Amino acid sequence: MKVALVSSGSGSRGGGELYLRVLAQGLMALGYDVLVLIPDHPRMDEFATQMGAIPTRRFAFCTTYDRPTRALGAWADLRQRRRLTGLFATLDVDVLHINQQVAEDALDLVLAAAASGKPWLSTIHVGHAARDLGARLGGLRDRVTAHVLGRLRGHHIAVSTATCQQLTARLGPVTLHPVPNGVAVPDPDALTRARAQARADWGVDDDTIVLGTVGRIAAQKAPLALVDHTAATGQTGVQLVWIGDGDLRDSLTARAAKASLPLHVDGWRDDAALRLAGLDIFVLPSLFEGLPLALLEAMHAGLPIAASRADGIAEALTHPVTGLMCDSDDDWRDALQRLITDQALRLRLGAAARAAAEDRFSAAAMARATADLYAQVQR
């Protein structure tokens, strides 16, 4: 079977786009012919390079994120929709798979896929409404999204049960399939080497407890909470590390300096899934999520985890077996204090997290479940 995976062009570093690379690799391992279509916007250049041996094709596309009114502009751009329909119709593929970060993302790609006459489906990562996230014209954007997707009555993958429930409440007569995200299972020896290298690069010794995370330094990820919750423990001999970068980097750095906590911002790295092995505690205080790849990578790395209960995070972790879930500032203080001071707890939680990830969140399992859906949409 030949499959086209279509990026919506949100950026080269977000887990919602990196999902396409993981899925492509998993499908190719199953014997599928895969083509990844990537918008020609410069912010996607790095993503295209990351594809390596995966076949790719760039295409002209004004993304939802480049439009002031987001979904409204994408929906109204009939010229682009006609051009995309023509592109999809000429592709020598059996299934079109559109990647949507949120439901309003890439409505033009979805409409073009439906008009092309080819079997299609989409993945939606985050189920929250634009209005709930405080977006400009959020209510109108949500109504247009519900109208478009409801009228098409297509098939959509939701990456978590929480996302599925949120979308069901909003979109009406669409067919939703919960397929959890997955990531590659890392080699244990590679993790050991990566841990030693990371800690050497960060200048920390074996006695220093390193707390950190992976991702964009952006409001969604609540980066300042990493500092505040760590400072609240009153523990010394700790180091904070953020693997990634983003708009709130200066604010994060200033907050850590004010709290007298050492912070290292590692920047974006292609080896982040291995690099995080240098951490002793993985911290994820996100305000909302789908099912974050960084969390699954931390689980596979055998890290103890403290996290918010946001959306799919609460499905991946079982409190207090595979991680410590936090609802309040007191929860965060107590969870981090326990993890910093109790090595046995860290080892126990990390081992349980790794076992759960290997059982539920592998790239191979995600690819198999997605391939089953391709067969359904072709009928």
Side-chain angles (χ1 to χ4, degrees), residues 52-67:
I54 300 170
T56 62
R57 176 175 170 180
R58 306 298 293 270
F59 68 103
F61 179 53
C62 179
T63 76
T64 302
Y65 303 95
D66 296 313
R67 298 179 183 274

Side-chain angles (χ1 to χ4, degrees), residues 205-356:
D205 57 28
D206 291 340
D207 294 329
T208 301
I209 301 298
V210 182
L211 302 89
T213 195
V214 177
R216 293 176 295 110
I217 309 178
Q220 176 197 349
K221 306 296 183 179
L224 303 187
L226 171 65
V227 176
D228 295 344
H229 296 320
T230 304
T233 68
Q235 296 293 319
T236 58
V238 299
Q239 166 82 41
L240 301 182
V241 169
W242 194 292
I243 303 172
D245 212 332
D247 295 341
L248 295 182
R249 176 174 181 156
D250 290 345
S251 298
L252 175 63
T253 301
R255 184 67 65 93
K258 184 177 181 180
S260 299
L261 284 171
L263 166 71
H264 178 83
V265 177
D266 216 26
W268 293 116
R269 298 186 61 95
D270 292 337
D271 62 348
L274 294 175
R275 187 76 165 178
L276 56 72
L279 305 177
D280 295 295
I281 302 167
F282 185 81
V283 184
L284 190 64
S286 298
L287 302 179
F288 63 92
E289 289 284 1
L291 182 56
L293 299 189
L295 171 64
L296 307 185
E297 290 167 345
M299 294 174 70
H300 276 287
L303 291 176
I305 297 165
S308 68
R309 292 185 186 272
D311 307 317
I313 297 174
E315 297 170 37
L317 297 176
T318 301
H319 177 85
V321 179
T322 58
L324 300 182
M325 308 293 290
C326 304
D327 296 308
S328 67
D329 289 346
D330 288 345
D331 289 344
W332 276 107
R333 183 195 64 234
D334 294 345
L336 294 184
Q337 194 160 39
R338 291 176 62 198
L339 289 172
I340 291 169
T341 58
D342 191 339
Q343 182 183 30
L345 175 63
R346 295 199 300 271
L347 293 173
R348 184 168 68 251
L349 287 176
R354 179 187 288 117

